[in-house]
Amino acid sequence: MLYLIGLGLSNEKDITIAGLEIVKKASRVYLEAYTSILMIGKDKLEEFYGRSVILADRVLVESSSDTILSGADTDDVAILVVGDPFGATTHTDLLLRARALGIPHRTIHNASIMNAIGACGLQLYNFGQTVSMVFFTDTWRPSSFYDRVRENREIGLHTLLLLDIKVKEQSLENLIRGRKVYERPRYMSVAECAQQMLEIESEKGEGAYSENSLAIGVSRLGSENQQFISGTLTELSTADLGAPLHSLVLLGKRVHELEIDYIREFSIDKESFDRAFAAEHGKV
């Protein structure tokens, strides 16, 4: 059987008991290592599991999945996924391939950013579409996220923005020349996300949000040193939330007084927070 096993958000101990039992008996164990990352290295997983783990990068998962699926009809093969297995479409595609080959499969779920984000103090049922923010380049500045944010804001919903990570990426030159030389890993920060959001709003000028719109910066969610900072997008554009991974939540108008009291406590500047909230919501 092919198993997709969620690892949770932080470290080697976040795996469920059901997941750990499968890992210990599977013939091969892969760690999908590019849609997200844990806050520990592969060696910590191997030490805790008492067995070796194969690192599966984008090429292996998306282009050479036959290697992973080979033998999964006769042996147990496990793929470890940070968060929950269905947090990325890549894993749905893998199950479709397994189904086409007649390989049985099972999913072991775990906590993900999609539900753990409630720890920031906002009610989950008032979140709208989740969007991704990728690193801008000199020639590529995708803004499709903007329309999704605007749709959420029009009906008062919060928006969770998942921030880009670049792991085992090649430069264009190395890719063209076929050189397997990889760039250093990069992880988008809350500050970079806020800056890019403000740049796109300045270009479009459609008022999906403004420099004074309130948002929450989140870092290392699920870990012992997770951090939340609330403030305007302008304030967050210079905020330092330390080590990755980061995400950002843009507030919608469907917000309860208790939620506001909660997130105000970790605001960068409480007076600025109150002014920004009053400007968009008509009250403090």
Side-chain angles (χ1 to χ4, degrees), residues 268-282:
I268 295 172
D269 181 299
K270 289 183 172 57
E271 291 184 2
S272 172
F273 181 97
D274 291 342
R275 288 194 300 271
F277 183 77
E280 287 206 340
H281 298 261

Side-chain angles (χ1 to χ4, degrees), residues 83-95:
D84 186 82
F86 290 110
T89 55
T90 294
H91 311 122
T92 304
D93 179 66
L94 195 61
L95 291 186

Side-chain angles (χ1 to χ4, degrees), residues 10-274:
S10 180
N11 59 44
E12 72 276 18
K13 295 181 181 179
D14 284 349
I15 192 171
T16 64
I17 294 174
L20 183 58
E21 289 176 345
I22 293 166
V23 165
K24 286 184 175 294
K25 70 182 181 68
S27 61
R28 298 193 312 277
V29 178
Y30 294 89
L31 172 62
E32 186 268 273
Y34 71 91
T35 57
S36 189
I37 60 166
L38 282 178
M39 298 171 205
I40 55 167
K42 181 172 75 79
D43 58 322
K44 287 286 187 182
L45 295 182
E46 293 178 326
E47 180 182 350
F48 187 70
Y49 300 154
R51 60 162 308 148
S52 62
V53 173
I54 305 165
L55 208 58
D57 60 15
R58 181 188 297 271
V59 174
L60 180 58
V61 177
E62 293 188 347
S63 303
S64 303
S65 60
D66 290 346
T67 302
I68 297 175
L69 297 176
S70 176
D73 55 340
T74 56
D75 292 311
D76 289 336
V77 176
I79 303 175
L80 309 179
V81 180
V82 177
D84 186 82
F86 290 110
T89 55
T90 294
H91 311 122
T92 304
D93 179 66
L94 195 61
L95 291 186
L96 287 173
R97 293 170 187 261
R99 184 185 297 173
L101 293 170
I103 298 171
H105 52 81
R106 181 184 170 198
T107 301
I108 307 297
H109 294 284
N110 209 322
S112 77
I113 182 71
M114 304 294 283
N115 55 20
I117 195 62
C120 76
L122 299 178
Q123 297 168 350
L124 289 177
Y125 49 76
N126 282 332
F127 277 76
Q129 304 168 86
T130 298
V131 300
S132 297
M133 176 69 77
V134 302
F135 283 111
F136 289 174
T137 70
D138 293 338
T139 58
W140 190 55
R141 296 164 57 84
S143 59
S144 58
F145 76 90
Y146 185 86
D147 292 334
R148 306 288 83 76
V149 171
R150 182 180 58 205
E151 290 168 1
N152 286 344
R153 297 268 289 177
E154 285 174 350
I155 55 177
L157 299 180
H158 315 308
T159 303
L160 169 61
L161 292 100
L162 303 178
L163 311 191
D164 201 5
I165 67 173
K166 298 290 187 186
V167 179
K168 204 175 181 182
E169 297 279 339
Q170 292 175 277
S171 67
L172 181 58
E173 180 183 355
N174 285 327
L175 192 62
I176 292 172
R177 295 177 179 275
R179 296 186 300 210
K180 292 189 176 182
V181 178
Y182 302 101
E183 304 291 290
R184 65 176 181 83
R186 296 174 61 203
Y187 308 98
M188 182 179 287
S189 68
V190 163
E192 289 170 309
C193 176
Q195 290 163 14
Q196 292 188 177
M197 291 177 70
L198 292 174
E199 288 175 19
I200 295 302
E201 177 56 54
S202 178
E203 292 174 9
K204 289 183 173 289
E206 298 175 15
Y209 48 83
S210 75
E211 61 185 13
N212 292 315
S213 292
L214 289 172
I216 302 170
V218 183
S219 62
R220 301 172 300 284
L221 183 62
S223 71
E224 293 181 358
N225 65 342
Q226 66 182 11
Q227 184 179 4
F228 304 101
I229 292 180
S230 62
T232 66
L233 284 176
T234 295
E235 290 171 330
L236 290 179
S237 69
T238 58
D240 181 3
L241 277 78
L245 291 172
H246 291 191
S247 54
L248 184 144
V249 179
L250 185 66
L251 263 66
K253 290 191 176 181
R254 294 189 192 180
V255 59
H256 191 274
E257 291 178 4
L258 292 178
E259 294 173 279
I260 291 301
D261 289 343
Y262 193 95
I263 65 177
R264 185 179 183 273
E265 285 306 305
F266 47 76
S267 61
I268 295 172
D269 181 299
K270 289 183 172 57
E271 291 184 2
S272 172
F273 181 97
D274 291 342

